PDB file of all heavy atoms in Angstrom:
ATOM      1  N   TYR B1039      -4.162  -4.116   5.125  1.00 97.00           N
ATOM      2  CA  TYR B1039      -4.512  -4.312   3.733  1.00 97.00           C
ATOM      3  C   TYR B1039      -4.296  -5.783   3.378  1.00 97.00           C
ATOM      4  O   TYR B1039      -3.530  -6.493   4.025  1.00 97.00           O
ATOM      5  CB  TYR B1039      -3.631  -3.461   2.803  1.00 97.00           C
ATOM      6  CG  TYR B1039      -3.773  -1.979   2.977  1.00 97.00           C
ATOM      7  CD1 TYR B1039      -3.020  -1.291   3.931  1.00 97.00           C
ATOM      8  CD2 TYR B1039      -4.645  -1.246   2.180  1.00 97.00           C
ATOM      9  CE1 TYR B1039      -3.137   0.081   4.091  1.00 97.00           C
ATOM     10  CE2 TYR B1039      -4.768   0.135   2.326  1.00 97.00           C
ATOM     11  CZ  TYR B1039      -4.010   0.787   3.284  1.00 97.00           C
ATOM     12  OH  TYR B1039      -4.143   2.150   3.430  1.00 97.00           O
ATOM     13  N   GLN B1041      -3.401  -8.283  -0.061  1.00 96.00           N
ATOM     14  CA  GLN B1041      -2.899  -8.240  -1.433  1.00 96.00           C
ATOM     15  C   GLN B1041      -3.020  -9.612  -2.079  1.00 96.00           C
ATOM     16  O   GLN B1041      -2.481 -10.594  -1.566  1.00 96.00           O
ATOM     17  CB  GLN B1041      -1.443  -7.768  -1.473  1.00 96.00           C
ATOM     18  CG  GLN B1041      -0.891  -7.608  -2.878  1.00 96.00           C
ATOM     19  CD  GLN B1041       0.519  -7.045  -2.898  1.00 96.00           C
ATOM     20  OE1 GLN B1041       1.293  -7.182  -1.952  1.00 96.00           O
ATOM     21  NE2 GLN B1041       0.862  -6.368  -3.982  1.00 96.00           N
ATOM     22  N   ARG B1054      -7.062   4.457  14.868  1.00 91.00           N
ATOM     23  CA  ARG B1054      -6.334   5.667  15.263  1.00 91.00           C
ATOM     24  C   ARG B1054      -6.371   5.749  16.774  1.00 91.00           C
ATOM     25  O   ARG B1054      -7.447   5.683  17.372  1.00 91.00           O
ATOM     26  CB  ARG B1054      -6.912   6.928  14.633  1.00 91.00           C
ATOM     27  CG  ARG B1054      -6.248   8.200  15.190  1.00 91.00           C
ATOM     28  CD  ARG B1054      -6.576   9.438  14.428  1.00 91.00           C
ATOM     29  NE  ARG B1054      -5.844   9.495  13.182  1.00 91.00           N
ATOM     30  CZ  ARG B1054      -6.415   9.498  11.995  1.00 91.00           C
ATOM     31  NH1 ARG B1054      -7.717   9.446  11.903  1.00 91.00           N
ATOM     32  NH2 ARG B1054      -5.688   9.547  10.898  1.00 91.00           N
ATOM     33  N   TYR B1106       1.344  13.536   7.736  1.00 72.00           N
ATOM     34  CA  TYR B1106       0.515  12.632   8.517  1.00 72.00           C
ATOM     35  C   TYR B1106      -0.083  11.514   7.685  1.00 72.00           C
ATOM     36  O   TYR B1106      -0.445  10.477   8.221  1.00 72.00           O
ATOM     37  CB  TYR B1106      -0.606  13.404   9.207  1.00 72.00           C
ATOM     38  CG  TYR B1106      -1.685  13.920   8.266  1.00 72.00           C
ATOM     39  CD1 TYR B1106      -2.786  13.147   7.940  1.00 72.00           C
ATOM     40  CD2 TYR B1106      -1.583  15.176   7.694  1.00 72.00           C
ATOM     41  CE1 TYR B1106      -3.762  13.610   7.077  1.00 72.00           C
ATOM     42  CE2 TYR B1106      -2.552  15.644   6.829  1.00 72.00           C
ATOM     43  CZ  TYR B1106      -3.643  14.856   6.526  1.00 72.00           C
ATOM     44  OH  TYR B1106      -4.599  15.322   5.676  1.00 72.00           O
ATOM     45  N   ALA B1107      -0.245  11.754   6.372  1.00 78.00           N
ATOM     46  CA  ALA B1107      -0.939  10.759   5.552  1.00 78.00           C
ATOM     47  C   ALA B1107      -0.013   9.677   5.028  1.00 78.00           C
ATOM     48  O   ALA B1107      -0.473   8.693   4.465  1.00 78.00           O
ATOM     49  CB  ALA B1107      -1.652  11.444   4.388  1.00 78.00           C
ATOM     50  N   GLU B1108       1.295   9.837   5.187  1.00 87.00           N
ATOM     51  CA  GLU B1108       2.217   8.848   4.649  1.00 87.00           C
ATOM     52  C   GLU B1108       2.122   7.563   5.447  1.00 87.00           C
ATOM     53  O   GLU B1108       2.244   7.576   6.672  1.00 87.00           O
ATOM     54  CB  GLU B1108       3.648   9.365   4.723  1.00 87.00           C
ATOM     55  CG  GLU B1108       3.911  10.606   3.908  1.00 87.00           C
ATOM     56  CD  GLU B1108       5.283  11.168   4.202  1.00 87.00           C
ATOM     57  OE1 GLU B1108       6.229  10.374   4.372  1.00 87.00           O
ATOM     58  OE2 GLU B1108       5.401  12.399   4.274  1.00 87.00           O
ATOM     59  N   GLN B1109       1.929   6.482   4.750  1.00 92.00           N
ATOM     60  CA  GLN B1109       1.850   5.192   5.420  1.00 92.00           C
ATOM     61  C   GLN B1109       3.121   4.402   5.146  1.00 92.00           C
ATOM     62  O   GLN B1109       3.589   4.332   4.010  1.00 92.00           O
ATOM     63  CB  GLN B1109       0.617   4.424   4.948  1.00 92.00           C
ATOM     64  CG  GLN B1109      -0.678   5.118   5.346  1.00 92.00           C
ATOM     65  CD  GLN B1109      -1.915   4.339   4.957  1.00 92.00           C
ATOM     66  OE1 GLN B1109      -1.890   3.123   4.768  1.00 92.00           O
ATOM     67  NE2 GLN B1109      -3.040   5.054   4.847  1.00 92.00           N
ATOM     68  N   ARG B1116       2.459 -13.721   4.598  1.00 97.00           N
ATOM     69  CA  ARG B1116       1.877 -14.529   3.514  1.00 97.00           C
ATOM     70  C   ARG B1116       1.100 -15.681   4.137  1.00 97.00           C
ATOM     71  O   ARG B1116       1.696 -16.557   4.772  1.00 97.00           O
ATOM     72  CB  ARG B1116       2.966 -15.043   2.583  1.00 97.00           C
ATOM     73  CG  ARG B1116       2.426 -15.889   1.421  1.00 97.00           C
ATOM     74  CD  ARG B1116       3.541 -16.282   0.460  1.00 97.00           C
ATOM     75  NE  ARG B1116       4.142 -15.116  -0.159  1.00 97.00           N
ATOM     76  CZ  ARG B1116       3.694 -14.512  -1.253  1.00 97.00           C
ATOM     77  NH1 ARG B1116       2.610 -14.999  -1.857  1.00 97.00           N
ATOM     78  NH2 ARG B1116       4.321 -13.467  -1.753  1.00 97.00           N
TER      79      ARG B1116
ATOM     80  N   TYR W1348       4.215   4.083  -4.634  1.00 97.00           N
ATOM     81  CA  TYR W1348       4.956   3.106  -3.857  1.00 97.00           C
ATOM     82  C   TYR W1348       5.618   2.118  -4.818  1.00 97.00           C
ATOM     83  O   TYR W1348       5.114   1.858  -5.916  1.00 97.00           O
ATOM     84  CB  TYR W1348       4.024   2.317  -2.931  1.00 97.00           C
ATOM     85  CG  TYR W1348       3.569   3.065  -1.689  1.00 97.00           C
ATOM     86  CD1 TYR W1348       2.463   3.908  -1.727  1.00 97.00           C
ATOM     87  CD2 TYR W1348       4.249   2.921  -0.487  1.00 97.00           C
ATOM     88  CE1 TYR W1348       2.039   4.583  -0.586  1.00 97.00           C
ATOM     89  CE2 TYR W1348       3.836   3.586   0.665  1.00 97.00           C
ATOM     90  CZ  TYR W1348       2.732   4.419   0.598  1.00 97.00           C
ATOM     91  OH  TYR W1348       2.318   5.092   1.730  1.00 97.00           O
ATOM     92  N   GLN W1350       7.276  -1.920  -4.939  1.00 96.00           N
ATOM     93  CA  GLN W1350       7.334  -3.200  -4.226  1.00 96.00           C
ATOM     94  C   GLN W1350       8.307  -4.114  -4.928  1.00 96.00           C
ATOM     95  O   GLN W1350       8.119  -4.473  -6.099  1.00 96.00           O
ATOM     96  CB  GLN W1350       5.947  -3.851  -4.167  1.00 96.00           C
ATOM     97  CG  GLN W1350       5.894  -5.106  -3.295  1.00 96.00           C
ATOM     98  CD  GLN W1350       4.477  -5.649  -3.154  1.00 96.00           C
ATOM     99  OE1 GLN W1350       3.668  -5.592  -4.070  1.00 96.00           O
ATOM    100  NE2 GLN W1350       4.167  -6.186  -1.965  1.00 96.00           N
ATOM    101  N   ARG W1353       8.786 -10.164  -2.757  1.00 82.00           N
ATOM    102  CA  ARG W1353       8.667 -10.680  -1.385  1.00 82.00           C
ATOM    103  C   ARG W1353       8.896  -9.596  -0.333  1.00 82.00           C
ATOM    104  O   ARG W1353       9.297  -9.892   0.785  1.00 82.00           O
ATOM    105  CB  ARG W1353       9.659 -11.829  -1.150  1.00 82.00           C
ATOM    106  CG  ARG W1353       9.534 -12.957  -2.157  1.00 82.00           C
ATOM    107  CD  ARG W1353       8.285 -13.742  -1.949  1.00 82.00           C
ATOM    108  NE  ARG W1353       8.176 -14.846  -2.908  1.00 82.00           N
ATOM    109  CZ  ARG W1353       7.199 -15.750  -2.874  1.00 82.00           C
ATOM    110  NH1 ARG W1353       6.293 -15.692  -1.941  1.00 82.00           N
ATOM    111  NH2 ARG W1353       7.162 -16.706  -3.771  1.00 82.00           N
ATOM    112  N   LYS W1361       5.432  11.524  -2.633  1.00 92.00           N
ATOM    113  CA  LYS W1361       4.082  11.886  -2.216  1.00 92.00           C
ATOM    114  C   LYS W1361       3.740  13.263  -2.755  1.00 92.00           C
ATOM    115  O   LYS W1361       4.613  14.107  -2.940  1.00 92.00           O
ATOM    116  CB  LYS W1361       3.974  11.888  -0.696  1.00 92.00           C
ATOM    117  CG  LYS W1361       4.942  12.864  -0.025  1.00 92.00           C
ATOM    118  CD  LYS W1361       4.907  12.736   1.461  1.00 92.00           C
ATOM    119  CE  LYS W1361       5.885  13.723   2.132  1.00 92.00           C
ATOM    120  NZ  LYS W1361       7.284  13.318   1.922  1.00 92.00           N
ATOM    121  N   THR W1408      -8.300  13.430   1.798  1.00 59.00           N
ATOM    122  CA  THR W1408      -7.496  14.493   2.379  1.00 59.00           C
ATOM    123  C   THR W1408      -7.844  14.783   3.829  1.00 59.00           C
ATOM    124  O   THR W1408      -7.059  15.342   4.541  1.00 59.00           O
ATOM    125  CB  THR W1408      -7.674  15.794   1.588  1.00 59.00           C
ATOM    126  OG1 THR W1408      -9.064  16.135   1.568  1.00 59.00           O
ATOM    127  CG2 THR W1408      -7.189  15.619   0.179  1.00 59.00           C
ATOM    128  N   SER W1410      -8.247  13.333   6.769  1.00 51.00           N
ATOM    129  CA  SER W1410      -7.527  12.921   7.966  1.00 51.00           C
ATOM    130  C   SER W1410      -6.575  11.768   7.724  1.00 51.00           C
ATOM    131  O   SER W1410      -6.363  10.947   8.613  1.00 51.00           O
ATOM    132  CB  SER W1410      -8.519  12.550   9.060  1.00 51.00           C
ATOM    133  OG  SER W1410      -9.385  11.522   8.620  1.00 51.00           O
ATOM    134  N   GLY W1411      -5.987  11.729   6.571  1.00 55.00           N
ATOM    135  CA  GLY W1411      -5.005  10.683   6.329  1.00 55.00           C
ATOM    136  C   GLY W1411      -5.593   9.301   6.446  1.00 55.00           C
ATOM    137  O   GLY W1411      -5.039   8.443   7.129  1.00 55.00           O
ATOM    138  N   GLN W1412      -6.684   9.076   5.793  1.00 78.00           N
ATOM    139  CA  GLN W1412      -7.362   7.802   5.897  1.00 78.00           C
ATOM    140  C   GLN W1412      -6.809   6.782   4.919  1.00 78.00           C
ATOM    141  O   GLN W1412      -5.708   6.917   4.411  1.00 78.00           O
ATOM    142  CB  GLN W1412      -8.858   8.025   5.691  1.00 78.00           C
ATOM    143  CG  GLN W1412      -9.465   8.888   6.777  1.00 78.00           C
ATOM    144  CD  GLN W1412     -10.951   9.081   6.615  1.00 78.00           C
ATOM    145  OE1 GLN W1412     -11.602   8.414   5.819  1.00 78.00           O
ATOM    146  NE2 GLN W1412     -11.515   9.999   7.369  1.00 78.00           N
ATOM    147  N   LEU W1414      -5.715   4.228   2.007  1.00 91.00           N
ATOM    148  CA  LEU W1414      -5.218   4.389   0.660  1.00 91.00           C
ATOM    149  C   LEU W1414      -6.020   3.504  -0.285  1.00 91.00           C
ATOM    150  O   LEU W1414      -6.344   2.363   0.033  1.00 91.00           O
ATOM    151  CB  LEU W1414      -3.747   3.991   0.586  1.00 91.00           C
ATOM    152  CG  LEU W1414      -2.743   4.885   1.319  1.00 91.00           C
ATOM    153  CD1 LEU W1414      -1.356   4.275   1.259  1.00 91.00           C
ATOM    154  CD2 LEU W1414      -2.746   6.291   0.765  1.00 91.00           C
TER     155      LEU W1414
END
Side-chain angles (χ1 to χ4, degrees):
Chain B
Y1039 297 86
Q1041 184 176 26
R1054 173 169 284 117
Y1106 71 89
E1108 298 171 39
Q1109 295 183 23
R1116 180 175 297 274
Chain W
Y1348 284 85
Q1350 187 175 35
R1353 305 289 181 175
K1361 59 186 180 288
T1408 57
S1410 58
Q1412 296 182 12
L1414 292 174

